[in-house]
Amino acid sequence: MAATRLGAILCEEGMISDLQLAEALQVQKEEQSRIGDILVDLGYLTKRQLRYVIREHKRRIPLGEYLLEKGIITAEELESALGKKDGTRQQLGQTLIDSSIITEEQLAEALSEQLDMPYIVPYQRLVDRRVFTRLPADFMRHNKVLPLAEREGVTTVLVPGLLDEATSQLLENVFGQDIELAICPPSRIQELIDSLLEQTTVPGLAEEGAEDEMLAADEVGRMDMAGERFRRGAVETQAVDVVNYLINEAINEEASDVHLESMNNRVQVRFRTNGIITRKMDLPLNIRDAVFRRIKVLSGLNVSETHKEQEGRLMGRLEDVKVDMRVSILVGMLGEALVLRLFRQDTDMIAIEDVGMTPNVYAMCRRALDYASGMIIFAGPPASGKTTSLYAALNHLNRPGTKIVTVEEPVEAILPGTIQAQLSSYRGSTLADVINAAIHQDPDVIAVGEIPYSTQARDVLWSALMGHKMLTTFHADDTVGSLLRLTDLGIKTFLRSSTALTIVCQRLVRRICPHCRAVFQPDQQALREFPIRDFDPSKYDFYHGKGCKECQNTGFAGRTGVFEALTVNDDLREAFLAGAPASEVLKVARSTMPFLTINEIGALKVIRGITTADEILRVAPLVSRDREMKNPLSMPEIERISEASLFGE
């Protein structure tokens, strides 16, 4: 139920005043909590009153309308489900599930948002057995309700949706009026009830290893994460299981980040998968501190510090999977927000041929890699795949006859046969000091993790002038923009030399799932955003993923890169040093090399059915798109240039 509609209903019922609602909405802007919880915390409403209003007025916003507004189902799917439901006593949500239009998880998440209730998908060790045993087994199985935990007199109970009056009354008789209802898929509730009654263990969280000593606070964690590091009580034991479970789920779902965010009455858990952040579940607030302590201990952070940002690192193993995790903690209004960034160590290094470059970009990149000296810069915004491309290039260069030295913070992956230096290991030394030390190692290739925004950037650039091949990364929107931004870091001196310079700028987009790929008609407005001359969409078929089990109903499976490459030649040097505007630099690039922008190659990948128009527009740089609109290419020209493997083509 939308916050504004719930607030309006409460005002109509005379349970709160307009002034109280306005105050609660203001608090919601600052705390991002549910409006019902805020009204309860402010003392304007009791939890029992809130449950009554939601139950009595749930039909104000029909489920079908809500799912339609959220884009989870289409109007045609809703009409079909309503037709099947007519004449039966089945609820619409179950009809949608039986028709394979939505999943149980999608329905539960939608109900959580619609009814303003937490969404929790638990496992066995998250359940407090003392609370669980207070309800009869037959009652729990029949009604699919599960008492989860009790904190400060408030009992959290998992339910598949709103309860009838009789069930609500029985729960209040057993646990009292202070009950926090949380939405969970019914099959997960049933599975967990059976598991607890049979005293079996939910798969995937088996304890391994014996107790050993706690690591020193400044030691980088290297451990079996399922092992014990300290003696602890029931809550701490529960926290170990929660952390193991979340990491295991993230690995299984190939998530890159796990977000644990303190909310008003819960811990919101979200995963970032294929670049998109999605809600995973909520955790009870009573285990937050123990979970955060567990992660802090493993990553060598200050356990007692809860009012200051911290960063740490953990390298370990979970169920035979090696994983490297970066931990970041930020303190918000409602408490700490923690992010785990996962880097799996059991995957093979990707080849430069497989990152998603079109033939024209690959040709320029390979040509730059084959030079004996010069600089290659992989540019793009954060999380655009720059480091992956950097390592793919280093892997291509990594031969017995080539000496490679990297200077990174931190070292992102192990590259056998190379020397990899981590800046934090050189206490008291600057980036320039470490680069100079690397140069004295007589390397053929030097890689610096990132060009810093400081005077130290000149040291990175100058090392390329000394006859070495230099590879690095840089934050920028596009290749032409990279040149302009590097001006402030001493690049003009670099440009006056004959040292080769190639900039590869990139984005990551999601691939359409091959298992549910289907033709569809995209939004015409989205297609008009592409900078293409005389573009006629009717000549092409466009595709999207309808959603299936293989892609977890997202319509996407994996990601691919979208690249543009720019090699600085004599013509480009002259234009740039003469102060030519970006549009003029773009013209020179087009006339002297097979240059295409991210937007143009993105459009090409859309018409080839690799990704969708919305995906490209989500990541493509607007500034370069505006520039391209002034002198657009046609689609046949883009296709021809993209296949060029030599500069003369």
Side-chain angles (χ1 to χ4, degrees):
M1 183 177 294
T4 52
R5 296 189 182 182
L6 175 60
I9 291 170
L10 290 167
C11 287
E12 289 174 13
E13 292 289 326
M15 304 184 81
I16 62 172
S17 66
D18 291 338
L19 189 60
Q20 289 171 333
L21 175 60
E23 181 184 353
L25 291 172
Q26 183 60 41
V27 173
Q28 187 184 46
K29 290 180 182 178
E30 300 171 359
E31 298 185 357
Q32 297 183 346
S33 297
R34 295 189 299 273
I35 195 70
D37 292 332
I38 294 171
L39 288 166
V40 171
D41 290 342
L42 291 173
Y44 298 147
L45 205 64
T46 66
K47 290 198 173 198
R48 188 176 189 181
Q49 288 174 318
L50 180 61
R51 289 199 304 273
Y52 168 80
V53 170
I54 291 174
R55 183 172 65 245
E56 293 299 314
H57 295 274
K58 63 178 181 179
R59 299 186 187 281
R60 289 280 190 94
I61 310 173
L63 176 64
E65 178 187 334
Y66 187 82
L67 292 171
L68 194 62
E69 288 180 2
K70 296 287 290 184
I72 298 173
I73 62 174
T74 65
E76 292 77 14
E77 290 170 334
L78 175 58
E79 185 177 352
S80 172
L82 289 172
K84 293 178 182 178
K85 178 182 174 297
D86 284 347
T88 71
R89 300 181 65 182
Q90 191 177 56
Q91 294 183 337
L92 176 61
Q94 191 59 50
T95 303
L96 290 166
I97 292 172
D98 292 344
S99 303
S100 299
I101 296 173
I102 63 174
T103 65
E104 267 196 348
E105 289 75 14
Q106 286 178 307
L107 176 61
E109 288 188 38
L111 287 173
S112 167
E113 295 177 6
Q114 182 197 23
L115 303 176
D116 203 41
M117 294 163 62
Y119 173 67
I120 298 178
V121 182
Y123 59 95
Q124 186 172 326
R125 293 185 180 178
L126 195 59
V127 180
D128 186 337
R129 287 181 178 272
R130 293 169 298 180
V131 179
F132 173 75
T133 54
R134 292 173 66 182
L135 281 181
D138 290 342
F139 173 82
M140 290 189 289
R141 280 175 164 156
H142 178 72
N143 294 283
K144 293 185 176 60
V145 298
L146 173 63
L148 185 66
E150 185 177 5
R151 173 182 176 268
E152 297 179 358
V154 179
T155 304
T156 301
V157 181
L158 299 183
V159 296
L162 284 176
L163 302 177
D164 57 49
E165 184 64 35
T167 305
S168 296
Q169 188 60 56
L170 192 145
L171 290 176
E172 289 184 7
N173 292 340
V174 175
F175 300 111
Q177 293 185 5
D178 287 333
I179 298 174
E180 175 76 35
L181 298 181
I183 297 293
C184 180
S187 64
R188 297 294 293 270
I189 294 177
Q190 192 68 59
E191 177 186 329
L192 192 50
I193 292 172
D194 293 341
S195 176
L196 288 162
L197 292 173
E198 294 168 9
Q199 296 186 337
T200 58
T201 302
V202 175
L205 290 169
E207 291 279 344
E208 297 179 12
E211 293 187 352
D212 50 18
E213 298 300 322
M214 189 189 304
L215 291 176
D218 60 348
E219 184 179 348
V220 175
R222 293 179 181 274
M223 65 203 69
D224 179 346
M225 287 176 286
E228 304 299 332
R229 286 284 166 181
F230 50 92
R231 297 191 179 276
R232 54 193 180 272
V235 176
E236 298 293 349
T237 302
Q238 195 178 38
V240 172
D241 296 331
V242 170
V243 173
N244 290 345
Y245 172 75
L246 291 176
I247 295 172
N248 193 49
E249 284 291 289
I251 290 172
N252 291 337
E253 295 184 17
E254 299 184 351
S256 61
D257 303 88
V258 177
H259 298 250
L260 296 137
E261 300 155 333
S262 298
M263 296 287 120
N264 195 303
N265 67 340
R266 70 195 192 283
V267 178
Q268 178 174 264
V269 180
R270 298 192 287 179
F271 285 4
R272 187 178 294 280
T273 307
N274 290 332
I276 304 299
I277 191 167
T278 56
R279 183 185 184 188
K280 178 67 178 176
M281 66 173 73
D282 296 331
L283 293 175
L285 197 62
N286 66 317
I287 67 168
R288 177 190 63 184
D289 294 344
V291 168
F292 281 22
R293 274 198 304 271
R294 173 65 175 172
I295 295 172
K296 288 177 181 178
V297 167
L298 293 179
S299 54
L301 298 178
N302 187 342
V303 176
S304 61
E305 181 59 74
T306 59
H307 296 88
K308 184 179 179 182
E309 68 282 356
Q310 296 191 69
E311 291 191 357
R313 187 182 186 189
L314 164 64
M315 296 183 69
R317 181 186 295 273
L318 186 65
E319 295 189 349
D320 298 324
V321 175
K322 292 181 179 179
V323 61
D324 178 0
M325 288 178 288
R326 315 293 158 74
V327 182
S328 173
I329 297 177
L330 181 69
V331 181
M333 289 286 293
L334 299 175
E336 292 174 304
L338 187 149
V339 176
L340 290 170
R341 172 156 288 186
L342 280 68
F343 299 87
R344 290 184 60 158
Q345 300 296 312
D346 63 334
T347 54
D348 295 330
M349 192 75 67
I350 193 169
I352 193 71
E353 297 90 342
D354 299 329
V355 295
M357 294 180 179
T358 47
N360 66 313
V361 175
Y362 178 68
M364 283 193 273
C365 189
R366 275 295 305 271
R367 187 181 189 188
L369 289 171
D370 291 341
Y371 285 148
S373 62
M375 174 175 276
I376 303 175
I377 298 174
F378 293 95
S384 59
K386 302 185 297 295
T387 301
T388 299
S389 297
L390 173 66
Y391 268 89
L394 290 173
N395 191 42
H396 173 81
L397 296 170
N398 192 15
R399 301 290 182 269
T402 302
K403 180 167 182 174
I404 299 175
V405 178
T406 75
V407 179
E408 306 170 72
E409 184 52 48
V411 172
E412 299 285 353
I414 303 302
L415 194 61
T418 67
I419 300 173
Q420 294 177 273
Q422 185 160 293
L423 279 174
S424 58
S425 301
Y426 294 83
R427 297 179 180 177
S429 298
T430 65
L431 175 63
D433 295 333
V434 182
I435 289 177
N436 285 332
I439 291 173
H440 294 156
Q441 290 284 311
D442 188 28
D444 298 295
V445 178
I446 299 175
V448 177
E450 183 179 325
I451 296 180
Y453 291 105
S454 68
T455 55
Q456 294 184 29
R458 297 185 181 182
D459 298 307
V460 179
L461 301 173
W462 276 102
S463 61
L465 293 172
M466 301 178 68
H468 301 94
K469 182 187 293 296
M470 169 69 69
L471 282 74
T472 188
T473 68
F474 185 63
H475 289 288
D477 279 334
D478 55 21
T479 52
V480 175
S482 296
L483 280 174
L484 296 171
R485 294 187 67 182
L486 285 168
T487 302
D488 298 332
L489 302 179
I491 194 72
K492 278 197 172 182
T493 302
F494 186 85
L495 282 176
R496 291 191 180 97
S497 72
S498 59
T499 304
L501 171 63
T502 296
I503 301 175
V504 180
C505 198
Q506 66 184 91
R507 297 293 192 279
L508 287 175
V509 295
R510 293 178 292 173
R511 285 179 174 272
I512 296 172
C513 175
H515 301 283
C516 58
R517 183 172 177 265
V519 175
F520 92 121
Q521 184 58 46
D523 178 37
Q524 294 299 304
Q525 180 58 40
L527 295 177
R528 283 193 287 271
E529 290 289 322
F530 286 115
I532 303 172
R533 186 177 74 248
D534 302 328
F535 182 51
D536 183 2
S538 64
K539 294 181 179 180
Y540 305 97
D541 286 331
F542 296 91
Y543 296 85
H544 76 153
K546 295 191 296 183
C548 63
K549 291 182 179 179
E550 296 294 331
C551 63
Q552 298 182 11
N553 291 292
T554 63
F556 297 96
R559 289 191 289 179
T560 187
V562 183
F563 298 83
E564 67 178 47
L566 183 71
T567 295
V568 180
N569 53 29
D570 290 340
D571 292 331
L572 211 56
R573 278 191 176 89
E574 289 179 9
F576 188 77
L577 292 173
S583 57
E584 186 62 32
V585 173
L586 183 64
K587 287 182 181 179
V588 174
R590 290 202 191 281
S591 64
T592 57
M593 66 191 78
F595 176 80
L596 290 174
T597 66
I598 285 174
N599 295 290
E600 292 162 341
I601 293 179
L604 190 63
K605 292 202 172 191
V606 171
I607 68 168
R608 288 179 177 175
I610 297 171
T611 189
T612 66
D614 288 340
E615 271 295 287
I616 296 299
L617 296 174
R618 178 176 65 85
V619 302
L622 291 171
V623 61
S624 58
R625 192 185 312 155
D626 293 340
R627 189 162 58 232
E628 294 152 34
M629 286 293 189
K630 298 177 182 178
N631 189 26
L633 298 175
S634 66
M635 184 53 72
E637 289 173 321
I638 292 172
E639 290 179 310
R640 176 182 57 79
I641 295 172
S642 74
E643 296 299 321
S645 57
L646 297 173
F647 276 46
E649 294 186 27

